[in-house]
Amino acid sequence: MNLNEGWFSSYDWHSADDVREGLKTEISSDYEFVNNFGNFFCFIRKKDKYPVCEYYLIKPMGGEWGYKGMSAQYSGKYNAQAAKWLKDALIEYGSTKEDPKGFEGQWEWIENGKNLGKERKEKRDTIKSLLKPGTKIKWDNDIVVFDKEYTNIKFVGHLVGNPRQYAFKYSDIKPEDIIVDKIEEAKKLLESAGFYVFKKKLLK
């Protein structure tokens, strides 16, 4: 099952989803498709239950779409669901982290992915703690206003001067991208020092 020799394409494919559907049967008659998680595909070799987890680059190529595959551990990508499948399949095949039986790279990818997932969550939680409705964020040459959380990994926001809302990923934001309200920042510093800060109501 060697998918690293180049790109494969077909005029029958008109989108990334077409390629993914094709990959379920296109690969090899020696392997059985089990599941896919985005561009991660899981296969079992029919003759001996040998597990394979592949990651596919998918892109348009002229008037058609194509793919190029690589072993998951060499892709530079990680997917927790694919990693769980691979871990269970390796154990069933007779491979363990302590006795990998030639699957050292796969186990390293699984273990490193756990740490990567934890780091991503910590960074995401940090960003979330800094955002509230109305917070402004630098976004390339624009300013995004945080409106509300959309999913665990995305939020809804709009560009300054444009009320149309879009979904943005927390992972695309760095703490330094968040525009800090200087008044609010000063208020927090005073309150942390033991001072009570209140808003003065102006009378007309």
Side-chain angles (χ1 to χ4, degrees):
M1 189 177 183
N2 186 356
L3 299 176
N4 295 314
E5 295 176 354
W7 286 86
F8 299 80
S9 62
S10 171
Y11 282 109
D12 293 330
W13 295 335
H14 306 290
S15 67
D17 284 339
D18 286 347
V19 179
R20 293 187 190 101
E21 282 301 309
L23 283 168
K24 295 176 183 180
T25 56
E26 191 81 11
I27 305 306
S28 169
S29 59
D30 296 329
Y31 286 82
E32 177 185 354
F33 166 77
V34 179
N35 206 344
N36 76 290
F37 307 96
N39 287 8
F40 285 88
F41 279 69
C42 306
F43 302 95
I44 290 288
R45 191 160 61 190
K46 294 177 181 178
K47 69 177 183 180
D48 58 4
K49 305 300 181 183
Y50 183 95
V52 174
C53 184
E54 297 280 316
Y55 177 78
Y56 292 94
L57 300 170
I58 298 175
K59 70 176 183 180
M61 304 175 71
E64 55 193 294
W65 280 72
Y67 70 86
K68 180 179 181 180
M70 60 189 74
S71 295
Q73 66 266 29
Y74 299 123
S75 69
K77 305 284 186 177
Y78 178 76
N79 180 284
Q81 292 172 298
K84 182 182 184 307
W85 176 88
L86 181 58
K87 180 180 179 179
D88 292 342
L90 288 173
I91 292 172
E92 185 174 344
Y93 186 74
S95 170
T96 64
K97 183 172 62 173
E98 294 74 22
D99 183 17
K101 291 183 171 58
F103 289 94
E104 288 84 358
Q106 287 87 336
W107 280 105
E108 184 177 356
W109 179 74
I110 291 168
E111 294 303 310
N112 287 345
K114 288 181 183 178
N115 296 329
L116 179 62
K118 182 179 179 181
E119 289 175 7
R120 285 176 176 171
K121 184 179 183 304
E122 289 174 351
K123 290 179 181 178
R124 188 167 62 242
D125 289 345
T126 297
I127 293 298
K128 284 183 177 182
S129 71
L130 299 173
L131 299 177
K132 62 181 181 179
T135 299
K136 294 179 180 178
I137 307 155
K138 297 175 186 175
W139 192 273
D140 292 330
N141 296 322
D142 293 305
I143 302 294
V144 172
V145 180
F146 177 87
D147 291 330
K148 62 181 180 179
E149 183 168 344
Y150 180 53
T151 67
N152 191 43
I153 62 173
K154 294 181 180 181
F155 67 91
V156 172
H158 66 275
L159 301 179
V160 169
N162 182 355
R164 183 176 178 182
Q165 292 183 316
Y166 302 89
F168 300 88
K169 288 185 177 180
Y170 290 112
S171 58
D172 290 333
I173 300 172
K174 303 181 186 69
E176 56 266 29
D177 295 331
I178 298 173
I179 300 173
V180 178
D181 185 322
K182 296 300 181 182
I183 295 175
E184 286 298 316
E185 186 178 40
K187 179 181 174 182
K188 288 178 181 177
L189 285 172
L190 288 169
E191 288 178 341
S192 66
F195 293 93
Y196 175 71
V197 180
F198 62 93
K199 293 182 178 179
K200 183 176 180 181
K201 185 176 180 181
L202 296 177
L203 299 177
K204 292 184 179 180

